Amino acid sequence: MRKIEHIIIHCSATPEGRHHTLADIDRWHKERGFATVDGITVGYHYVIQLDGTLETGRPHKRAGAHARGRNRNSIGICYIGGLDKNMKPKNTLTAAQKHRLEITVKKLLYDYPQAKVSGHYNWASKDCPCFDVQDWCKSVGIQEKHIT
Ligand SMILES: [Zn+2]
């Protein structure tokens, strides 16, 4: 069993309003040479579509490929979006995505009570996931001890 210490949030870095699914990201990650195990290539454990649909990628028991140096002990969640029409970083979370993200993160914190939530930007010099994860955590009532 992996020890999960981080729940790391990402965006797909795709333009606002453009629909994508886990299958798309799976294909992109295959093209980038990520390992395929049991038919699953995508580096994230979850993908949240524009309409809030939650899709499951890698099983929890398998390390992700989403945050260099932190994959071993983390779960990676990716929402579709994160860029404006000009491909500039933007918080494009839809109301449905926000709601699904909150439910998903809180469920994970219940399952992994020692885990802390962070954004990809906490571990790499990137804008991902293009919103302030710490502010968001506080706004949905996630306890300080669960915030990176
Ligand atoms: Zn990321």
Side-chain angles (χ1 to χ4, degrees), residues 9-11 44 66 120 126 128:
I9 302 173
H10 298 264
C11 65
Y44 307 113
H66 56 89
H120 191 187
K126 293 174 181 283
C128 181

Side-chain angles (χ1 to χ4, degrees), residues 5 13-14 26 33 39-40 50-51 66 78 90 112 118 129 135 147:
E5 295 175 69
T14 50
D26 194 80
I40 300 164
L50 296 179
D51 70 355
H66 56 89
C78 174
K90 181 183 176 184
Y112 303 108
S118 57
D135 276 358
I147 304 173

